[in-house]
Amino acid sequence: MTGRVPTYDYERDGAAIYARSFATIRAEADLSRFTPEQAQIAVRIIHACGRVDVAALIEMSRDLVNRARGALRAGAPVLCDSEMVAHGVTHARLPARNEVICTLRDPRTPTLAATLGTTRSAAALELWGDRLAGAVVAIGNAPTALFHLLEHIDAGGPRPAAIIGMPVGFVGAVESKDALAARSDLSHVIVRGRQGGSAMAAATLNALASERE
Amino acid sequence: MTGRVPTYDYERDGAAIYARSFATIRAEADLSRFTPEQAQIAVRIIHACGRVDVAALIEMSRDLVNRARGALRAGAPVLCDSEMVAHGVTHARLPARNEVICTLRDPRTPTLAATLGTTRSAAALELWGDRLAGAVVAIGNAPTALFHLLEHIDAGGPRPAAIIGMPVGFVGAVESKDALAARSDLSHVIVRGRQGGSAMAAATLNALASERE
């Protein structure tokens, strides 16, 4: 069909689109407080949301990039709080055919949520089981999932290698990310404030998965 | 595990979280230029991104809500440019067990992209075929997909009932949404500027799918 009528004038080459996008972000965003490796993560977070001012809201543990990359290279699974995050992961960037897991739609989740008196997003992470040990966790939707993860760890649950904490919204998002940021014992990256979401969380994971920009 | 240690203080009831979120958005966002039905859509878009100022960037055709709701009630499919959008659709809100389709991972897509000289996201919509007629299209990732859709329609392709045009980013997002907004012949909703994304597009679809807030 295409090509028969006058077309819009726009960039159609995927690689060129990426290159121009990242160049624009690097020209406009203040990335000066990041190391070169951290800046790669920040660039992809900004790319996912279209706002360069988000750079100021990103906070990373000093060991975040190394720990997450090391875990992924060693084959650690990626544990996600939502199907959107899981489906935003670019499998071609994963270094060890890592499993990408979301248990939100597991048939046991609704009962578990009722029993625990919490949301399905929070209850779902109980089903991660031992896979949580050394995993990279990506939370891009539910503040309750992030709070529940911290409680789970404090109760003696397995410890992940790194936590991408980017729930979004108006109830609990700010507070759950503040709680994670206060934990010097957990390697993490967050976006402060109400902004966040599946796209940013998946972009962060994709940036950590490969050094290729 | 949980309950054994002091827990964080936060809202754990999903329905209460939704209610408080939407109440906060309605208290803070300027929704005065929207009809009550349009405001429902705007509230969910804001909910997805965590920014009430996005209200000012939302533009809807006057007939958007009616056309999209009518199409979905009549069983129209939902056609998505990315897996993330498709997996953000809440099936329980769909009125007619509508099909939710993304053809990005169809094995024919890479070849088609090479042949057409465009991105896989744009080429994938060639595989929507006749399902595009009367469908609700949700574009939350690729500007090239939105441009290609407009070209496809101009070349005599099937006409959708409504287009959710919310690609995100730094190359083509602004321009492709401006191009859609200029089309009075196509019922649409957009978020002006660089912001957009899968979460906003899926939230828009979820708002259109059901009148339940």
Side-chain angles (χ1 to χ4, degrees):
Chain A
M1 53 110 262
T2 16
R4 285 185 279 137
V5 290
T7 53
Y8 294 93
D9 179 26
Y10 60 98
E11 181 60 73
R12 291 167 172 78
D13 178 67
I17 292 168
Y18 266 104
R20 249 177 67 196
S21 297
F22 292 160
T24 302
I25 293 167
R26 286 183 179 279
E28 293 186 20
D30 178 4
L31 305 173
S32 55
R33 67 192 174 86
F34 298 118
T35 66
E37 287 187 326
Q38 289 178 331
Q40 283 192 314
I41 316 302
V43 164
R44 279 195 175 248
I45 293 172
I46 292 165
H47 183 242
C49 69
R51 295 191 64 102
V52 294
D53 60 357
V54 159
L57 304 174
I58 299 169
E59 285 180 34
M60 277 177 247
S61 309
R62 221 177 296 179
D63 63 350
L64 183 268
V65 178
N66 278 345
R67 277 184 65 87
R69 287 196 166 152
L72 291 171
R73 277 194 212 105
V78 178
L79 304 177
C80 309
D81 74 325
S82 79
E83 292 286 341
M84 285 189 83
V85 175
H87 285 86
V89 175
T90 305
H91 286 259
R93 293 181 65 85
L94 292 170
R97 295 167 174 261
N98 311 254
E99 261 194 291
V100 178
I101 295 163
C102 175
T103 49
L104 186 60
R105 291 186 186 166
D106 186 289
R108 293 167 291 177
T109 298
T111 313
L112 211 45
T115 307
L116 295 169
T118 190
T119 64
R120 284 185 300 125
S121 296
L125 69 81
E126 297 275 332
L127 299 172
W128 293 347
D130 289 343
R131 295 176 292 192
L132 179 55
V136 177
V137 175
I139 293 180
N141 183 38
T144 52
L146 182 49
F147 273 128
H148 195 76
L149 175 64
L150 298 179
E151 293 170 340
H152 189 72
I153 292 167
D154 287 344
R159 299 179 73 84
I163 302 172
I164 299 168
M166 301 193 188
V168 59
F170 297 85
V171 176
V174 172
E175 296 81 358
S176 64
K177 291 183 285 192
D178 287 351
L180 176 59
R183 300 285 299 249
S184 57
D185 62 320
L186 295 169
S187 187
H188 62 264
V189 48
I190 65 160
V191 173
R192 290 258 186 207
R194 290 169 167 178
Q195 288 177 93
S198 307
M200 285 195 215
T204 306
L205 191 284
N206 290 334
L208 290 167
S210 170
E211 285 168 40
R212 273 182 296 124
E213 181 146 305
Chain B
M1 57 106 247
T2 15
R4 285 187 279 140
V5 289
T7 53
Y8 294 93
D9 179 26
Y10 60 98
E11 181 60 72
R12 291 164 171 81
D13 178 67
I17 292 168
Y18 266 105
R20 248 177 68 196
S21 298
F22 292 160
T24 302
I25 294 167
R26 286 183 179 279
E28 292 186 21
D30 179 4
L31 305 172
S32 56
R33 66 193 174 86
F34 297 118
T35 66
E37 286 186 328
Q38 289 177 331
Q40 283 192 315
I41 316 304
V43 164
R44 277 193 177 251
I45 293 172
I46 292 166
H47 184 242
C49 68
R51 295 190 62 103
V52 296
D53 59 357
V54 160
L57 305 173
I58 300 169
E59 286 182 32
M60 279 177 244
S61 310
R62 220 177 298 180
D63 63 350
L64 183 269
V65 178
N66 278 344
R67 277 184 65 87
R69 288 196 165 151
L72 291 172
R73 277 194 212 104
V78 177
L79 304 177
C80 309
D81 74 326
S82 79
E83 292 286 341
M84 284 191 84
V85 175
H87 284 87
V89 175
T90 305
H91 286 258
R93 293 181 64 87
L94 293 170
R97 294 169 173 263
N98 311 253
E99 263 195 289
V100 178
I101 295 162
C102 175
T103 50
L104 185 60
R105 293 187 185 165
D106 187 289
R108 293 167 291 177
T109 298
T111 313
L112 210 46
T115 307
L116 294 169
T118 189
T119 64
R120 286 185 298 127
S121 295
L125 69 80
E126 298 273 333
L127 300 172
W128 293 347
D130 290 342
R131 294 176 292 192
L132 180 55
V136 176
V137 175
I139 293 178
N141 185 38
T144 51
L146 181 49
F147 273 129
H148 196 77
L149 175 65
L150 298 179
E151 293 170 340
H152 189 73
I153 292 167
D154 287 345
R159 298 179 72 83
I163 301 172
I164 299 167
M166 300 192 189
V168 60
F170 298 83
V171 176
V174 171
E175 297 81 357
S176 64
K177 292 183 284 191
D178 287 351
L180 175 59
R183 298 286 297 248
S184 57
D185 62 319
L186 294 170
S187 186
H188 61 265
V189 48
I190 65 158
V191 171
R192 289 260 187 208
R194 289 169 168 179
Q195 289 176 91
S198 306
M200 284 195 213
T204 306
L205 193 283
N206 289 333
L208 290 167
S210 168
E211 287 168 39
R212 273 182 296 123
E213 182 146 301

